[in-house]
Amino acid sequence: MQELSGQKRIRVLIGSTNPVKINAAKVAICQLFPESNIECIATHAPSGVADQPMTERETRLGALNRVRYCQSMAASGEQEAELFVAMEGGVDKLEYGPATFAYIAVATAKQVSVGRSALLPLPSSVYHALEAGEELGDVMDRLFNTKNIKQQGGAIGLLTKGHATRESIYTQALILAMAPLLNPELYQD
């Protein structure tokens, strides 16, 4: 990643057209490379998993599939970028109850790093609706009488009363996932 330090322009291909994910990527990359002009390019990248991933494994796979798709677009010459970012939100029933979180995959042409956001505990009633086939954003819209919350503050914003948002959690998780790319010499096996 040191090759990106000092570059005047860094093109970031984001495997989503969701404004929350685009903004989170832009904020995180701008914080990491404040001297560079960051150009974020949004693309629909298929996750290859359910619209509502129900396990950590499925959620992680969705993020990896999206970032690999972005890498393949650059490798084929279809899109030019130096950095690739994908985020996948999911849920799982853990030993202490159901929770939502996101997996983040960030990559260059040669290196991939995966991270995960903090967990947000979910009410059991919300998790049961997800088990029945609903998506988290739709359940939250119904419970809180909102519209398209997944492209705004998300369940995180609603359940924390605005003290955290989907974007803030994705931004933090992306910055953390960048550590191996920022320090490749330390992460070599």
Side-chain angles (χ1 to χ4, degrees):
M1 210 67 215
Q2 293 168 339
E3 68 270 9
L4 292 182
S5 294
Q7 277 196 21
K8 296 208 184 289
R9 181 176 74 151
I10 300 172
R11 287 173 303 271
V12 183
L13 186 56
I14 304 163
S16 179
T17 57
N18 183 318
V20 169
K21 294 178 181 182
I22 296 165
N23 290 337
K26 177 94 174 174
V27 168
I29 303 305
C30 285
Q31 284 181 29
L32 294 169
F33 301 101
E35 302 299 319
S36 298
N37 178 20
I38 307 301
E39 179 186 347
C40 290
I41 305 148
T43 188
H44 171 73
S47 70
V49 299
D51 288 342
Q52 179 58 72
M54 293 297 293
T55 65
E56 284 194 79
R57 183 177 182 189
E58 185 181 20
T59 307
R60 183 176 54 253
L61 179 60
L64 284 167
N65 287 344
R66 289 179 193 271
V67 86
R68 288 179 184 134
Y69 178 87
C70 292
Q71 286 176 304
S72 73
M73 288 185 72
S76 71
E78 190 176 340
Q79 192 64 254
E80 191 178 337
E82 293 80 33
L83 193 59
F84 311 96
V85 174
M87 301 164 216
E88 186 73 28
V91 300
D92 205 340
K93 188 163 189 175
L94 307 169
E95 63 185 74
Y96 40 82
T100 186
F101 47 83
Y103 268 90
I104 310 297
V106 61
T108 61
K110 298 177 183 175
Q111 188 178 5
V112 176
S113 178
V114 176
R116 196 192 77 189
S117 73
L119 296 171
L120 173 71
L122 287 176
S124 292
S125 62
V126 170
Y127 186 75
H128 294 311
L130 302 177
E131 285 182 308
E134 291 188 68
E135 284 188 54
L136 182 57
D138 297 334
V139 175
M140 300 310 290
D141 281 342
R142 187 177 66 251
L143 281 176
F144 286 87
N145 197 29
T146 54
K147 186 173 178 155
N148 199 17
I149 197 65
K150 70 181 181 179
Q151 291 193 355
Q152 300 166 45
I156 295 164
L158 292 172
L159 292 172
T160 66
K161 298 189 181 281
H163 292 280
T165 64
R166 191 174 188 204
E167 184 178 323
S168 71
I169 296 303
Y170 284 3
T171 299
Q172 179 189 50
L174 178 54
I175 289 171
L176 296 177
M178 287 287 295
L181 292 119
L182 295 169
N183 302 282
E185 68 285 354
L186 299 176
Y187 288 86
Q188 293 177 354
D189 290 335

